[in-house]
Amino acid sequence: MLLLAALPLALAQQAVVDWPQMGRTPAYQSLNAAPLPASPPHPEWRFANASSRLVSSPAVFGGAVYITSDDGHLYALEQATGRLQWKFAQHCMPAASLRCGVNGIRSSPAVDTADGSIAFGSYDGSAYKVDATGKLLWSFKTAGRIYSPATIGPDGAVFVGTMRPDNCLYALNGASGRLKW
């Protein structure tokens, strides 16, 4: 009985601060044992992107929230206030054009916790990795559009899945962006 009483305390002590990618870790350990609020939840802040929809799941790391948009941008927001820190535009713009894939970026971003860099894919068919300031580190052109979330493996490899026309899973070197397989 004592063990059951201590369980909520043990879980609360393991509350997660960072959520660097969809599923939290490459093993998708997506339980967050944060305590429930005493009063009904309310928005801490709002980020209104008037130009387009925010479709992806955000990544949270190091005091920043990263989210992608149909307007072809990756946005970095201050976690405490929601204030825009920077935005990165995909290569192919305008994102809504037919040649750019029509839908911009719907891939959920992933943060490499080793260096704070952010990886994501785009409907323009490219996988991207930027540093924590939004500077492009590399891009890799696939043969299909990327809708799936980016995932960063334990070794730093970036994984993205494509849809038409090639329907492939790509493994990219996290440091260089070169194709691993």
Side-chain angles (χ1 to χ4, degrees), residues 49 55 107 113 138:
N49 182 12
V55 181
S107 170
T113 58
W138 54 257

Side-chain angles (χ1 to χ4, degrees), residues 20-28 107-112 118-121 127-129 138 146 148-161 169-172 174:
Q21 62 188 6
M22 189 170 178
R24 190 170 70 91
T25 68
Y28 283 87
S107 170
S108 296
V111 179
D112 187 334
I118 306 99
F120 60 96
Y128 296 92
K129 194 167 191 191
W138 54 257
I146 302 170
S148 69
T151 300
I152 298 177
D155 66 348
V158 175
F159 298 89
V160 292
L169 175 64
Y170 288 81
L172 306 172

Side-chain angles (χ1 to χ4, degrees), residues 58-71:
V60 181
F61 183 76
V65 177
Y66 303 99
I67 192 159
T68 60
S69 173
D70 273 353
D71 69 1

Side-chain angles (χ1 to χ4, degrees), residues 1-12:
M1 189 62 142
L2 182 60
L3 178 61
L4 290 177
L7 185 59
L9 178 61
L11 288 176

Side-chain angles (χ1 to χ4, degrees), residues 13-14 34-35 59-61 72-73 75 80 89 100 102 106 117 140 156 167:
Q13 291 173 345
Q14 296 175 9
V60 181
F61 183 76
H73 290 92
Y75 291 94
C100 293
V102 181
R106 292 188 172 181
S117 59
F140 180 87
N167 302 314

